[in-house]
Amino acid sequence: MLNSFVCNELVLMCIVISCVSARNLWDYSTDNPKKTLFDEKNKDHWRIQAQWTLKNKIQTSLNTKYAKNVILFLGDGMSITTLAATRVYLGQKYGGLGEELKLSFEVFPYTGLAKTYCVDNNVADSACSGTAYLSGVKANSGTVGLSGAVKRGDCEGQRQGTHSVTGLIDWAQNAGKATGVVTTTRVTHATPAASYAHSADRKWESDTDQPKNGEQCDDIATQLVNGKVGSKINVIFGGGRKNFLPKTFKDIEGNRGHRSDGKDLIKEWLRKKTSYGVSAKYIYNRKELLNLEPVFTNVLGLFSPDHMPYHIEAGDDDPALSEMVVKAIDILSKNKNGFFLFVEGGRIDTAHHETKARKALDETAEFAKAVEAALRIVDNDETLIIVTSDHSHTMSYSGYSKRGTDILGFVNKSNATDRFPYTTLNYANGPGYKPEEDSHRHNLTLDDLSNPNYTYPSLVPIPRETHGGEDVAVYAKGPWAHIFSGNYEQNFIPHAIAYAACIGPGLTSCTF
């Protein structure tokens, strides 16, 4: 059975036909009424599709209600190119051509473009961009939760606290809302860390990661457990268990911790929650997640010692992103004041860095599935949902292939002067560079493109593919979604969210 987000186009066309009178339908089909309206070669197919889109847009009313709940979905490294390729990947997976597909969030009524550069770099990393779209202040590359006045590695600048910036999680907590962070990476990785931590270096995830000589700053894991904002987060789901356990300790799966200070931060987290007088539980696998009793209002789920495995490689003990999202919403919804939930599909980015396009597209499909799962269980009238990315990547989508050509395969109309085939998806740089002794291009027909770990071709040889500097898409649905239209700086996003949800120190819809 097709997933519902795969069926969106079919559903939309069915709505079109049901809304058009028999007379109008005949008027559109006078050339040949017997033609099927789902045939792309039939001009009526495109006319009706466009008319439905037009009708839907002009009939969409502005929702200016108070956003009781907010979910910010972030596809790390989810470029517009990645979205276009994922549509085809999914469509072909379920027997279609693919390009006609829309992902779950691509049917949202409002779309914008966000500019992603850092204060010091023209191409963003996940730390400075995370600070921008979670706190509303642009920062330097490699820094988390600090203004551009602090350079990467400046421990003293972090310790001073003068340049620390707070954002959506803190503002929501101050408004009495429940808060949560869900990710497929380590929960201390740059993107989730930007929601609660202040660190002069994104790599300072545990005390072991800090410089051996010189000043010591609070590491990111410590700030999640004991920090002013981190300690009050209700739901934390993701990977990175090793950063919470000492090196001398093995977790229940036999993996050693990474901390040098001997602290067991999981136990500290439980003690901290007890001191707050709340019900709390630590879980570590999918079974515990799915069987979680509804009495717990605070849950720490660390499902892997490092990043969570790619969906393609996940086992029975590894929860899917959609499962974590559904459980998080279930827990956070108990708060009568509403909630703010931040969700990251983080392994889209790591797959791109490895130029493993198949994994990147599959992770994007899983991300879209998580958005769809959330849409099914929230009240869309009072829940603002934003879907965006932090930065782009260098993957390109090119050639003149016929419809239906495998998106992860070769261009079927290769016009290369060396007469060697080339793939539809390629990278500007990265580990996929394959040199040949005679200076000719590598013959890709010798490679196994069906292997999920296949590194797609890249032009420049570097160990890790870089990010891209172009704008990223922002999709919005729910209260005040229309204010996310247009082109703007990435740091505008949290200000707009705060306006809709009546949180934070700035202008809000409740006071305007």
Side-chain angles (χ1 to χ4, degrees):
M1 181 177 179
L2 295 184
N3 288 337
S4 61
F5 62 85
V6 175
C7 294
N8 275 330
E9 284 298 300
L10 180 59
V11 171
L12 295 183
M13 288 300 292
C14 289
I15 294 173
V16 171
I17 292 173
S18 67
C19 291
V20 178
S21 68
R23 179 178 177 181
N24 288 336
L25 193 57
W26 179 262
D27 288 342
Y28 275 130
S29 307
T30 53
D31 288 350
N32 187 350
K34 295 183 180 180
K35 287 183 180 178
T36 171
L37 294 175
F38 297 102
D39 179 4
E40 290 185 353
K41 295 178 181 179
N42 180 357
K43 60 187 178 185
D44 301 326
H45 166 91
W46 301 107
R47 289 171 174 172
I48 294 177
Q49 181 195 72
Q51 285 293 310
W52 184 90
T53 301
L54 175 62
K55 187 174 182 179
N56 185 55
K57 286 186 176 296
I58 62 178
Q59 290 185 343
T60 298
S61 59
L62 300 184
N63 182 346
T64 57
K65 296 181 180 179
Y66 156 63
K68 178 181 178 181
N69 310 309
V70 176
I71 308 176
L72 174 56
F73 282 94
L74 190 285
D76 199 312
M78 190 177 68
S79 62
I80 292 176
T81 305
T82 302
L83 293 174
T86 302
R87 292 181 210 131
V88 184
Y89 169 78
L90 267 177
Q92 293 179 347
K93 184 176 180 180
Y94 291 103
L97 295 175
E99 291 86 356
E100 70 284 355
L101 182 97
K102 285 188 178 181
L103 302 177
S104 57
F105 48 87
E106 291 184 312
V107 298
F108 284 12
Y110 301 101
T111 306
L113 290 172
K115 298 156 67 176
T116 63
Y117 63 90
C118 306
V119 169
D120 60 343
N121 278 12
N122 62 352
V123 176
D125 80 319
S126 293
C128 77
S129 56
T131 303
Y133 63 74
L134 285 165
S135 76
V137 175
K138 288 216 173 192
N140 288 324
S141 180
T143 65
V144 171
L146 300 167
S147 74
V150 179
K151 294 183 178 180
R152 185 169 189 171
D154 181 6
C155 182
E156 179 57 30
Q158 174 184 329
R159 287 163 58 94
Q160 286 177 354
T162 308
H163 305 297
S164 296
V165 292
T166 58
L168 290 167
I169 293 278
D170 181 51
W171 302 341
Q173 290 173 349
N174 290 337
K177 295 182 181 294
T179 55
V181 175
V182 175
T183 180
T184 52
T185 66
R186 297 185 297 270
V187 297
T188 50
H189 203 234
T191 298
S195 68
Y196 60 82
H198 312 285
S199 181
D201 197 318
R202 57 178 288 176
K203 292 185 176 180
W204 295 347
E205 296 185 49
S206 82
D207 65 314
T208 303
D209 302 318
Q210 295 193 359
K212 305 305 177 188
N213 300 316
E215 294 179 297
Q216 293 289 300
C217 293
D218 284 343
D219 60 86
I220 294 171
T222 294
Q223 293 185 55
L224 177 55
V225 173
N226 296 314
K228 174 181 175 292
V229 177
S231 65
K232 295 178 183 177
I233 298 176
N234 302 95
V235 175
I236 305 157
F237 291 158
R241 192 186 306 134
K242 66 179 182 181
N243 290 323
F244 295 81
L245 297 171
K247 291 180 176 179
T248 56
F249 183 82
K250 286 186 178 180
D251 65 22
I252 197 165
E253 296 177 338
N255 303 292
R256 286 198 177 274
H258 187 58
R259 300 195 65 82
S260 301
D261 56 12
K263 293 182 179 179
D264 184 336
L265 291 183
I266 294 174
K267 288 184 177 179
E268 284 196 21
W269 181 85
L270 289 167
R271 285 196 294 267
K272 176 72 77 171
K273 293 298 182 180
T274 300
S275 71
Y276 289 156
V278 297
S279 56
K281 187 175 179 62
Y282 164 69
I283 58 178
Y284 66 91
N285 63 26
R286 179 173 181 264
K287 182 178 179 181
E288 287 193 314
L289 175 75
L290 298 181
N291 295 332
L292 190 64
E293 297 175 20
V295 297
F296 296 104
T297 57
N298 288 260
V299 184
L300 171 63
L302 299 176
F303 304 109
S304 175
D306 206 293
H307 294 321
M308 294 182 66
Y310 288 108
H311 168 251
I312 288 177
E313 300 168 342
D316 293 338
D317 287 339
D318 303 306
L321 180 60
S322 55
E323 292 173 333
M324 293 191 290
V325 167
V326 168
K327 185 61 69 172
I329 293 173
D330 182 44
I331 296 169
L332 298 175
S333 295
K334 296 174 184 176
N335 188 308
K336 64 180 181 180
N337 296 319
F339 64 83
F340 172 79
L341 174 62
F342 176 59
V343 180
E344 182 203 18
R347 304 232 61 189
I348 302 169
D349 177 73
T350 58
H352 275 318
H353 279 306
E354 298 165 352
T355 66
K356 295 176 180 176
R358 187 177 297 272
K359 284 185 173 180
L361 303 192
D362 188 73
E363 289 296 312
T364 306
E366 283 299 298
F367 178 77
K369 185 177 178 181
V371 176
E372 181 197 14
L375 288 168
R376 287 175 176 168
I377 60 175
V378 300
D379 184 340
N380 287 276
D381 203 40
E382 64 178 18
T383 304
L384 172 63
I385 298 182
I386 306 297
V387 180
T388 187
S389 179
D390 48 354
H391 52 72
S392 181
H393 271 275
T394 71
M395 187 182 78
S396 66
Y397 178 171
S398 61
Y400 295 107
S401 287
K402 292 182 179 180
R403 292 281 299 280
T405 302
D406 183 4
I407 187 66
L408 289 161
F410 296 114
V411 172
N412 63 15
K413 291 184 179 179
S414 176
N415 56 352
T417 55
D418 60 8
R419 298 189 179 183
F420 281 178
Y422 62 95
T423 51
T424 301
L425 303 180
N426 297 275
Y427 290 85
N429 56 53
Y433 179 79
K434 299 176 176 67
E436 294 290 338
E437 291 183 3
D438 59 2
S439 298
H440 286 93
R441 191 161 60 91
H442 174 66
N443 185 356
L444 297 177
T445 61
L446 301 175
D447 298 347
D448 180 11
L449 275 63
S450 65
N451 188 328
N453 288 312
Y454 178 72
T455 54
Y456 274 72
S458 55
L459 179 64
V460 179
I462 57 175
R464 276 173 60 83
E465 178 264 358
T466 70
H467 295 165
E470 63 267 30
D471 297 353
V472 294
V474 183
Y475 302 90
K477 178 181 176 66
W480 294 98
H482 56 283
I483 66 176
F484 293 88
S485 301
N487 181 279
Y488 38 78
E489 298 287 355
Q490 194 172 40
N491 68 292
F492 165 74
I493 294 173
H495 291 276
I497 289 174
Y499 180 85
C502 296
I503 60 176
L507 187 68
T508 73
S509 61
C510 295
T511 57
F512 182 68

